[in-house]
Amino acid sequence: MSDYGYKIPALNDGEVFRNEIVIKKSRFITSAGHTRGVAEAEAFLARIRQEFADARHNCYAFNAGKGNETAFIGCSDDGEPKGTAGRPMLNVLVHSGIGEISIVVTRYFGGILLGTGGLVRAYQDSVKEILTALPLKDPENLEEIRFTADLARMHILEELVRKYGGRVISRDFSGTCCTYTVTADAVKAAFLKKDLERLNQTAQVS
């Protein structure tokens, strides 16, 4: 176990790590990505769904926070019988000691019914196999920053966050404003805060 209490995928931004198993002629294609926060998790899920748009099931589980923070956890059976895919996948994920990760298991039906127990085992095994092979590393030394911006300035401020290598973790819209949670390298965070305050003088940056 890492000194941080958890590991993260050692993957580049946008990189997809993939594994496939076949059970009774059904193909289970598992895709994993490094996703820091719910916004990145949702973007990853949408990307995989689009790639495998012809599949009947793109079941997923994500643990996109630091360890097992409930606000950053989600799953879906995506049309499989309730409780046979998303929740079993998530159970494996939250006990793996890995954070900032999203996993999608795409199933192509092979013509042989697996039954509810068979589906649970298949989706769990898909996650277990990819986690066994997935390269891991310690989390980066990041600082979390929160600020509120007018909707008209969102584009400018998000560009600034990207300039410093930061990531948007969440956006909370309210009226004409958006409250951001972002992360940035601890060394760069102080400079990012100063520029955010300079460009966004009406909002408090913390």
Side-chain angles (χ1 to χ4, degrees), residues 28-131:
F28 292 83
I29 303 168
T30 308
S31 306
H34 178 204
T35 55
R36 190 182 294 125
V38 175
E40 288 192 13
E42 291 176 343
F44 178 80
L45 302 176
R47 173 185 170 188
I48 302 302
R49 284 196 197 101
Q50 184 177 21
E51 181 180 355
F52 295 103
D54 61 332
R56 181 174 295 181
H57 306 290
N58 283 294
C59 306
Y60 68 80
F62 63 82
N63 184 9
K66 303 173 183 178
N68 296 327
E69 299 172 283
T70 55
F72 295 92
I73 288 174
C75 65
S76 171
D77 295 317
D78 193 34
E80 293 283 27
K82 185 177 180 180
T84 61
R87 180 58 61 178
M89 291 169 60
L90 185 61
N91 286 341
V92 174
L93 204 53
V94 298
H95 290 98
S96 68
I98 303 172
E100 299 179 15
I101 183 172
S102 293
I103 291 180
V104 180
V105 178
T106 302
R107 182 191 180 201
Y108 287 96
F109 182 52
I112 301 174
L113 295 175
L114 302 182
T116 55
L119 285 172
V120 169
R121 288 189 295 273
Y123 281 102
Q124 285 183 326
D125 288 347
S126 294
V127 176
K128 289 176 182 177
E129 282 210 11
I130 201 165
L131 293 183

Side-chain angles (χ1 to χ4, degrees), residues 3-15:
D3 291 339
Y4 293 86
Y6 68 104
K7 292 279 191 177
I8 64 174
L11 301 175
N12 296 322
D13 288 347
E15 183 178 358

